[in-house]
Amino acid sequence: MSDTTQTGPTPASPAVGEATGKRGEMLAADGRPLKSSLNRALRRQKLRALGLIAPLLIFVLVTFIAPIADMLFRSVENDIVSNTLPGTVEELNDWDVATSETPDEAVYRALYYDLFLAAEAKEHTKLGSRLNYEKTGLSSLFRSSGRGLDDFGDDYLDQLEEIDERWAEGAFWYSLMTGSGEADESYLNGRVRTLERMTTENLPGDVGFAPSAEIAALLPETTHAYSDFASYTALVDGDVVAEEDPWESVYVGLMNDLQTADLAAYSGPEVDALRAAQAADIPLVSAKDFFAEEDEDWVDPSVWSTIQTYSPRYTPGYFLNSVDMQLTPEGMEMRPDNEQVYIKLFKRTMFMSLMITGSCILLGYPVAWLLANLPMRKANLLMILVLLPFWTSLLVRTSAWKVMLQQQGVINDVLVWLGMVDDMNRLVMINNQFGTIVAMTHILLPFMILPLYSVMQGIPPTYLRAAKSLGATNWTAFWRVYFPQSVPGIGAGSILVFILSIGYYITPEIVGGTTGTFISNRIAYHISSSLNWGLAAALGTILLGVVLLLYWAYDRIVGIDNVKLG
């Protein structure tokens, strides 16, 4: 048996060993492992692609995602009550609306101090407007009561001045409230944060005042009112606290504190004036009686139940109002029949949007078929006519329909001239659903024609000729061969027209009257007129949810992959 000879390099030759690493992995030209180099190259490629689309991504985030997120937040946000009336909301936690009785004196005192600060900051009218959405009349109640708050403290000031004229001086009050002991910075900081939440502004700066801990314990209501005065005077008005006369609410707090204050052990500044004021035994007027005299609605339990119900920072009330329900202390319930409007508007919006979409399909399909099958020169001429409405203002087109459809308009005049309509019984085609459907069909028709034309242009005409050569009639060839291939264009056009029509508000506002308006008109009203942005956000969120639900249903039934624009 003879040995076999072997030619060429062996498997372990140096030529092969130079292309592999110590562990046998393949190496790139730079000596790095090939897998690491590939991953690094892919990362660079992805970062390069991200850099190219970053401007568009930022634009979409800022102009689309952020507004939607803000809308979703506004639909549940409700911090104006708790920020404007923090003390009142806290005291109301112990009040039971089921008793059908008004709250106790502590609630009215807290309301006075909260409302006084809010009135100085001009925030009480905003609070009244918010609560007026839930109970009519609260806006005027807060506005009128805010104007009469000074009267409560003025009577006390007059009687204190008869005892000691220094009670009207800012320097005297500053000396009294700062005291001689340790300052209570935490109390003042809490009042500053309350002011910031109420005004929704950042208020940097030094107040230049802090109540003494001894005074804060001895005169708690006075310290509360004076700290509000000092914070607002220094941070908002920019004045020196010691040089300004205190608010009338400070005197109300002092009178309440002097009823129970133990001045025997107190020896701080202005102690003699405090003792003289306490010894004078000035008659005390309850805050409840003051508010009842200002407006009898303040002793109406339903007013307080509304404040209590909408005191949490987040509320489902806007969404409930959007579906003709309301939030009450007993829970959720339907609104009275004469106040139910939004469900009807949602139904009308869905119905009319579907009618407009169907009208655009019926009118747009023949036009698109004509464009796709005519010679190029004629098709281009017709395409110019299709695109011509885009060169005309939407407002002009809508106003033109208002002129044409009115009872003394062009269409009625022609029908009367032809003898089809009696002059005394002209057709009512404006300020109703018919007018809205006609005007919006005209405006949205190009959005149906263009996708249909794009799809039909890609259907080979030989298919129809082949069907006819096999014995099919013109109708059978169209229905069995041509139409199924044009369905993706119908789907694309229907989605465009339906989504555009469901959010239209200019055309329905001009030609729709009271029966042809959409839910979008109500959203625009709450944004621009009633300023009820929370309800507008809730309505918009529901409308967005309905569109997404219909989109999902369309995808399940037809398949979004079958929708083509060309």
Side-chain angles (χ1 to χ4, degrees):
M1 188 172 181
S2 60
D3 295 336
T4 60
T5 59
Q6 187 175 12
T7 61
T10 63
S13 64
V16 177
E18 291 176 357
T20 60
K22 294 181 180 180
R23 298 182 181 180
E25 69 270 19
M26 298 294 293
L27 300 179
D30 57 358
R32 292 189 177 90
L34 183 59
K35 184 177 180 180
S36 300
S37 297
L38 288 174
N39 291 334
R40 186 179 181 186
L42 287 174
R43 281 197 300 271
R44 288 180 177 176
Q45 186 178 5
K46 291 179 180 178
L47 289 175
R48 217 168 15 244
L50 181 62
L52 291 174
I53 68 169
L56 177 61
L57 181 62
I58 294 173
F59 177 79
V60 171
L61 288 174
V62 172
T63 62
F64 184 71
I65 303 298
I68 290 179
D70 182 67
M71 178 183 68
L72 293 172
F73 177 70
R74 284 183 181 274
S75 63
V76 296
E77 180 191 22
N78 188 57
D79 57 0
I80 186 172
V81 179
S82 57
N83 286 345
T84 310
L85 304 177
T88 309
V89 170
E90 184 177 354
E91 293 290 343
L92 270 178
N93 289 333
D94 299 329
W95 178 64
D96 185 7
V97 67
T99 61
S100 299
E101 297 179 357
T102 55
D104 57 18
E105 175 68 13
V107 175
Y108 283 93
R109 285 189 185 180
L111 174 66
Y112 178 78
Y113 298 125
D114 290 338
L115 197 57
F116 200 102
L117 177 60
E120 290 292 333
K122 304 297 187 294
E123 297 292 327
H124 65 300
T125 55
K126 298 179 182 178
L127 173 63
S129 298
R130 165 65 187 97
L131 293 176
N132 197 71
Y133 301 147
E134 314 302 336
K135 182 177 176 59
T136 304
L138 289 187
S139 178
S140 59
L141 176 63
F142 276 88
R143 187 180 294 108
S144 61
S145 299
R147 292 192 295 264
L149 295 174
D150 295 346
D151 299 337
F152 197 8
D154 279 337
D155 295 338
Y156 291 142
L157 173 59
D158 293 339
Q159 296 179 71
L160 286 171
E161 279 189 300
E162 294 179 0
I163 302 171
D164 192 329
E165 293 183 354
R166 293 180 302 165
W167 282 112
E169 299 174 2
F172 171 82
W173 271 102
Y174 186 83
S175 173
L176 170 66
M177 299 307 298
T178 52
S180 58
E182 182 180 356
D184 190 352
E185 294 282 354
S186 61
Y187 191 91
L188 180 69
N189 293 335
R191 302 313 303 163
V192 171
R193 286 193 294 272
T194 298
L195 181 60
E196 288 179 336
R197 287 193 297 269
M198 179 183 298
T199 58
T200 63
E201 295 179 2
N202 187 20
L203 301 173
D206 183 18
V207 177
F209 161 80
S212 69
E214 190 177 14
I215 281 290
L218 184 67
L219 307 174
E221 291 191 31
T222 311
T223 306
H224 176 107
Y226 193 86
S227 297
D228 285 342
F229 155 74
S231 302
Y232 191 87
T233 299
L235 302 181
V236 179
D237 292 340
D239 297 326
V240 179
V241 178
E243 298 176 356
E244 299 297 322
D245 298 339
W247 290 342
E248 288 77 4
S249 60
V250 178
Y251 296 100
V252 176
L254 176 65
M255 288 297 99
N256 290 327
D257 286 333
L258 289 178
Q259 304 301 312
T260 57
D262 184 9
L263 299 177
Y266 179 70
S267 58
E270 321 302 346
V271 62
D272 294 337
L274 281 175
R275 289 173 178 171
Q278 188 180 49
D281 196 19
I282 298 175
L284 186 67
V285 178
S286 73
K288 186 174 183 178
D289 293 340
F290 167 76
F291 279 105
E293 186 177 348
E294 284 291 311
D295 196 311
E296 60 182 10
D297 285 343
W298 283 117
V299 292
D300 182 0
S302 64
V303 171
W304 291 101
S305 68
T306 302
I307 297 175
Q308 186 185 60
T309 302
Y310 290 92
S311 60
R313 293 187 174 275
Y314 302 98
T315 177
Y318 292 124
F319 279 103
L320 293 176
N321 290 339
S322 300
V323 293
D324 295 329
M325 300 181 69
Q326 59 184 347
L327 185 64
T328 66
E330 292 78 22
M332 298 177 291
E333 62 181 31
M334 293 298 298
R335 286 189 173 276
D337 293 339
N338 60 342
E339 296 181 10
Q340 296 183 14
V341 62
Y342 294 114
I343 291 181
K344 183 187 298 184
L345 279 175
F346 275 114
K347 291 180 179 179
R348 180 192 300 169
T349 301
M350 294 297 111
F351 169 74
M352 294 180 64
S353 297
L354 290 174
M355 289 292 295
I356 293 165
T357 303
S359 301
C360 287
I361 293 174
L362 293 176
L363 296 175
Y365 196 95
V367 176
W369 184 88
L370 205 60
L371 287 170
N373 291 278
L374 281 176
M376 185 60 67
R377 180 176 298 179
K378 294 182 180 179
N380 289 339
L381 180 61
L382 288 179
M383 181 59 71
I384 292 175
L385 297 178
V386 171
L387 297 177
L388 190 61
F390 289 119
W391 305 338
T392 308
S393 169
L394 172 64
L395 190 59
V396 172
R397 284 180 281 164
T398 304
S399 300
W401 276 111
K402 191 174 183 67
V403 173
M404 294 181 66
L405 293 174
Q406 62 184 331
Q407 286 185 292
Q408 302 300 324
V410 177
I411 296 178
N412 264 304
D413 284 345
V414 172
L415 293 176
V416 170
W417 179 70
L418 293 175
M420 300 176 64
V421 174
D422 183 68
D423 190 33
M424 301 302 294
N425 297 302
R426 290 174 174 249
L427 300 178
V428 180
M429 298 181 291
I430 200 69
N431 296 330
N432 52 27
Q433 294 186 14
F434 178 81
T436 301
I437 292 173
V438 170
M440 289 187 61
T441 299
H442 166 247
I443 291 169
L444 297 176
L445 189 58
F447 293 98
M448 179 65 72
I449 294 175
L450 293 176
L452 281 170
Y453 168 69
S454 181
V455 171
M456 289 177 177
Q457 201 175 31
I459 301 175
T462 55
Y463 288 1
L464 283 177
R465 290 198 294 267
K468 292 177 182 179
S469 68
L470 294 174
T473 62
N474 289 335
W475 169 252
T476 303
F478 167 78
W479 184 250
R480 300 289 297 275
V481 177
Y482 192 87
F483 181 78
Q485 296 181 79
S486 66
V487 168
I490 296 176
S494 298
I495 290 177
L496 281 175
V497 171
F498 181 80
I499 292 178
L500 287 173
S501 63
I502 205 175
Y504 252 57
Y505 72 94
I506 294 179
T507 303
E509 184 69 24
I510 295 176
V511 300
T514 57
T515 61
T517 53
F518 285 9
I519 191 66
S520 52
N521 296 101
R522 206 63 186 170
I523 295 174
Y525 166 76
H526 287 306
I527 289 176
S528 60
S529 298
S530 71
L531 302 182
N532 191 351
W533 289 6
L535 181 55
L539 290 170
T541 302
I542 293 176
L543 193 61
L544 175 63
V546 170
V547 171
L548 293 177
L549 180 62
L550 293 175
Y551 181 86
W552 173 83
Y554 184 91
D555 183 39
R556 297 286 295 179
I557 297 172
V558 179
I560 201 64
D561 294 336
N562 295 325
V563 175
K564 294 183 177 65
L565 294 174

